[in-house]
Amino acid sequence: MKNLILLLLIGLIQLHAFGINQLMFHKIDVRSGLSDNYVKSIIRDKYGFMWMATSNGIDRYDGYQLKKYTVTQLGSYNNDTNYIIEDAEGTIWVRTIQKLYTYDRCLDKIADDATQKLSALGIKEPIKEIMTDDAQNLWTISTKYLYRYDFKKQELTTIPHQFGDNILSLTARGSQAYILTNDGRFYQVDILQHCLNYVSQ
């Protein structure tokens, strides 16, 4: 937290040094149309829209107004959204407690076609988690395999694992991915060697 405050102060000092004397901030909350004040994930898509995954739906902000998207009409029992990501092709993936969805730009709505989109990339199994790395390559994990789809190379890498349902989370940083299991074990993915390296518990 201290590092974040320090970075913000340095940024403000630099902006002032360049002659920007006034910064404007806008508070966005339920009073301004946000679905819920509990925001779990935020991304900025390739068109400049801000997307917020909340405990009561997904919101898109264009700098002026918010637009709400829901998943209950697709069979989900609520609109609680865990996170939202965008891959290198511009597909927006929405992860809820129950299921994975995508955003259909043509119809401007959340769609229940994630399975078909993953299948087109060669990922046939039901997945537990989905993430993107800094290059927006797609990382997914099922009960048997970890997958990485490189959009630039149009190449799918598949790494088998023995975790089964013991996967707590998948995250990606830089060009690497990491797996945390329910028993507290932490693994780093080695794409070149097609294996998982145990880091710590």
Side-chain angles (χ1 to χ4, degrees):
M1 188 66 176
K2 289 180 180 177
N3 291 339
L4 179 61
I5 292 170
L6 181 62
L7 287 172
L8 288 171
L9 286 173
I10 291 170
L12 290 172
I13 291 167
Q14 288 176 339
L15 286 173
H16 184 71
F18 286 110
I20 300 173
N21 296 320
Q22 190 174 14
L23 294 174
M24 293 187 64
F25 293 91
H26 297 280
K27 182 179 179 181
I28 300 172
D29 57 17
V30 290
R31 289 174 292 181
S32 53
L34 191 66
S35 295
D36 196 284
N37 283 336
Y38 183 21
V39 177
K40 300 180 181 181
S41 172
I42 300 174
I43 65 163
R44 180 176 181 264
D45 73 14
K46 68 178 187 176
Y47 296 105
F49 292 109
M50 299 298 296
W51 291 83
M52 288 152 276
T54 79
S55 59
N56 191 32
I58 306 109
D59 294 295
R60 186 184 70 188
Y61 184 61
D62 63 6
Y64 300 97
Q65 59 187 0
L66 288 155
K67 180 165 184 179
K68 180 176 180 174
Y69 299 87
T70 59
V71 293
T72 49
Q73 76 279 5
L74 298 171
S76 184
Y77 62 83
N78 66 26
N79 288 307
D80 193 358
T81 308
N82 289 349
Y83 54 83
I84 187 167
I85 60 170
E86 182 183 29
D87 67 28
E89 283 193 337
T91 301
I92 291 178
W93 303 85
V94 177
R95 183 67 166 135
T96 69
I97 293 171
Q98 286 183 292
K99 203 170 179 182
L100 181 66
Y101 301 94
T102 65
Y103 169 65
D104 188 321
R105 291 188 191 275
C106 295
L107 299 176
D108 189 26
K109 68 177 186 178
I110 303 300
D112 190 8
D113 63 350
T115 301
Q116 295 93 312
K117 286 186 180 293
L118 288 171
S119 184
L121 300 177
I123 302 166
K124 310 290 185 183
E125 285 201 345
I127 64 154
K128 295 180 67 65
E129 295 288 338
I130 185 167
M131 280 290 141
T132 53
D133 59 25
D134 288 1
Q136 292 184 292
N137 292 313
L138 204 62
W139 295 80
T140 64
I141 193 164
S142 72
T143 56
K144 295 179 181 178
Y145 300 100
L146 173 80
Y147 302 96
R148 175 182 179 259
Y149 190 83
D150 186 318
F151 286 96
K152 190 173 182 180
K153 296 178 181 177
Q154 294 187 336
E155 178 181 89
L156 180 68
T157 302
T158 304
I159 300 173
H161 67 77
Q162 304 296 320
F163 301 135
D165 285 320
N166 195 29
I167 301 159
L168 184 62
S169 68
L170 168 71
T171 189
R173 294 287 181 268
S175 61
Q176 294 293 316
Y178 305 89
I179 299 167
L180 180 65
T181 59
N182 288 320
D183 56 3
R185 293 178 180 270
F186 188 62
Y187 297 84
Q188 180 181 26
V189 180
D190 187 334
I191 281 292
L192 296 177
Q193 298 297 320
H194 290 235
C195 66
L196 306 173
N197 296 321
Y198 173 68
V199 178
S200 67
Q201 184 172 15

